[in-house]
Amino acid sequence: MTDRRDHLDGRAAGILLACCLFWGVQQVLVKATLPELAPVFQAAVRFVGATVLLWLWCAWRGVPLFERDGTLWPGLLAGVLFAAEFAVINLGLQHTTASRLTVFLYTSPFWVALVLPLFVPAERLRRIQWIGLACAFAAVVFALREGFGAGGGGLTWRGDLMGLVAGALWGLTTVVIRSTALVRAAPSKMLFYQVGVSAVTLPLLSAALGEAWNWQWSAFATMSVTAQTVVGAFASYLAWMWLLAHYPATRISAFVFLTPLFALLAGALWLREPVTPSLLLALALVAAGIVLVNRRVPGKPRV
C-alpha cells in the first residue's frame, strides 16, 4: 500500500523546489541551444534518451510495462498529447522569450479545470472557481496584448500563442490521465507512455519539418541536452509522479507557480530577456486565478 502523507515534509518541499527551479531554467536552456540544435530534433533526442533511462529504471525496479491492464489506448493518447506539447514548446521558443512562453504554458491548470468536469462530474466547478478561471483568462488576454507590439521585446504573439496551445495540450494530457484507466497505472508506466510515444513521433515530425540533424555538438549543447534528458525528462518527471503518489495533490500543485518565476529570473539574467510590468502582473493574475480554481471546498477532504 502506498504510504500517503497529509502534509508536505522537508524532503517533499526540497524535491519540489529543485524540480520547479530546473523546469524554469530548462526553457532557457532549450532556447539557448536553438542556434545549434533544431527545436523538434532537440526534443526528440531528449525523449529518446529519457525512454531508455526509464526503461532501465523500470527493469531494475521490476515495474511491468507491457502487461494488459486496459491502459494501452488512453496511454497512447496521453503520449501523443505529451509529444505535441513539447514540439509546440520548442517551436514556440523561436518566436518569443523563454519567460513569456513559460507564463502561457503554466495556464495548464486553467484548461484542466475547464475540461475535466465534462468527463468527471465530481470535478465540477463552484462560483469561486469560476471567478478564478475568469481571472486567469483575463491575465492571458492581457499578456497576449503585449506580444503584438514592441512592449514585449518585439512581435512575440506567435510564440505566445504556441505557449498557450502547449498549456492546453498539457491540460488535456492531465484530463486523459485522470479520467481513464491510466489513473490506476503505476506512475513510472504512466510516464513511459508519454516519453515512449514522444521518442517515436518527434523524430518523425522533425524529419517532416525538414530540420537539420546536427550531430556535431559543442560542449554547451552536449551539457544542455544531457541536463534536459537526465534531469528534466527522466528524474524530475519521475520525482513529480512519486510525489503525487505520496503527498496531497493540492498542496503539491501550489509549488508549480514558482516555475514561471524561476523562468523569468533565468531568462532575464542569462538571455537578457525583458521582464515588463505587464508580464509580471499577468503572472500574478494567472497564479491568483489558478489558486482560486484549486481552492479546497469546505467539507471535502484534501487529496
Side-chain angles (χ1 to χ4, degrees):
M1 178 179 293
T2 300
D3 179 22
R4 288 193 62 85
R5 298 162 177 80
D6 61 0
H7 66 283
L8 298 182
D9 53 26
R11 177 175 61 173
I15 293 173
L16 281 166
L17 186 63
C19 285
C20 291
L21 174 59
F22 184 81
W23 293 338
V25 173
Q26 181 171 251
Q27 308 303 342
V28 179
L29 266 179
V30 172
K31 187 171 181 65
T33 313
L34 285 178
E36 192 168 344
L37 300 181
V40 180
F41 171 69
Q42 190 177 157
V45 172
R46 170 185 176 186
F47 286 114
V48 168
T51 300
V52 173
L53 290 174
L54 186 58
W55 179 77
L56 292 173
W57 167 269
C58 290
W60 177 54
R61 301 287 294 181
V63 178
L65 293 175
F66 303 106
E67 65 178 2
R68 295 185 177 182
D69 56 5
T71 64
L72 177 61
W73 293 111
L76 292 176
L77 176 57
V80 169
L81 291 169
F82 182 86
E85 174 199 338
F86 281 93
V88 172
I89 288 173
N90 282 29
L91 289 168
L93 284 169
Q94 298 178 110
H95 305 289
T96 190
T97 64
S99 52
R100 288 185 65 85
L101 185 136
T102 304
V103 170
F104 290 108
L105 175 63
Y106 276 80
T107 60
S108 170
F110 168 90
W111 301 105
V112 174
L114 194 62
V115 177
L116 188 60
L118 300 177
F119 300 94
V120 184
E123 297 281 353
R124 65 184 181 275
L125 302 180
R126 287 164 171 77
R127 181 180 301 174
I128 189 66
Q129 293 168 313
W130 279 111
I131 293 173
L133 279 180
C135 183
F137 180 75
V140 169
V141 173
F142 182 72
L144 274 174
R145 169 198 57 80
E146 190 177 61
F148 286 90
L155 294 174
T156 64
W157 64 270
R158 292 182 182 86
D160 295 345
L161 285 175
M162 294 179 83
L164 193 58
V165 169
L169 289 167
W170 180 9
L172 290 175
T173 304
T174 302
V175 170
V176 170
I177 290 171
R178 292 182 59 182
S179 62
T180 67
L182 278 176
V183 76
R184 298 187 296 273
S188 49
K189 182 171 183 177
M190 194 184 307
L191 180 60
F192 188 79
Y193 275 121
Q194 296 172 72
V195 298
V197 172
S198 299
V200 173
T201 57
L202 289 177
L204 297 176
L205 177 59
S206 176
L209 292 173
E211 291 184 343
W213 290 21
N214 174 27
W215 296 105
Q216 302 298 319
W217 299 356
S218 67
F220 170 75
T222 302
M223 178 277 297
S224 173
V225 173
T226 300
Q228 292 177 50
T229 301
V230 178
V231 182
F234 171 64
S236 70
Y237 293 163
L238 196 59
W240 175 259
M241 293 191 176
W242 178 83
L243 288 165
L244 286 175
H246 291 83
Y247 294 91
T250 50
R251 299 191 183 186
I252 291 173
S253 297
F255 270 76
V256 302
F257 302 127
L258 291 173
T259 302
L261 292 175
F262 286 134
L264 285 169
L265 182 61
L269 294 178
W270 186 353
L271 302 180
R272 298 293 187 265
E273 295 180 348
V275 180
T276 65
S278 296
L279 185 59
L280 292 174
L281 179 58
L283 174 60
L285 287 172
V286 168
I290 297 176
V291 166
L292 289 175
V293 168
N294 288 284
R295 185 177 179 182
R296 183 187 175 213
V297 178
K300 291 187 69 174
R302 294 186 184 274
V303 293

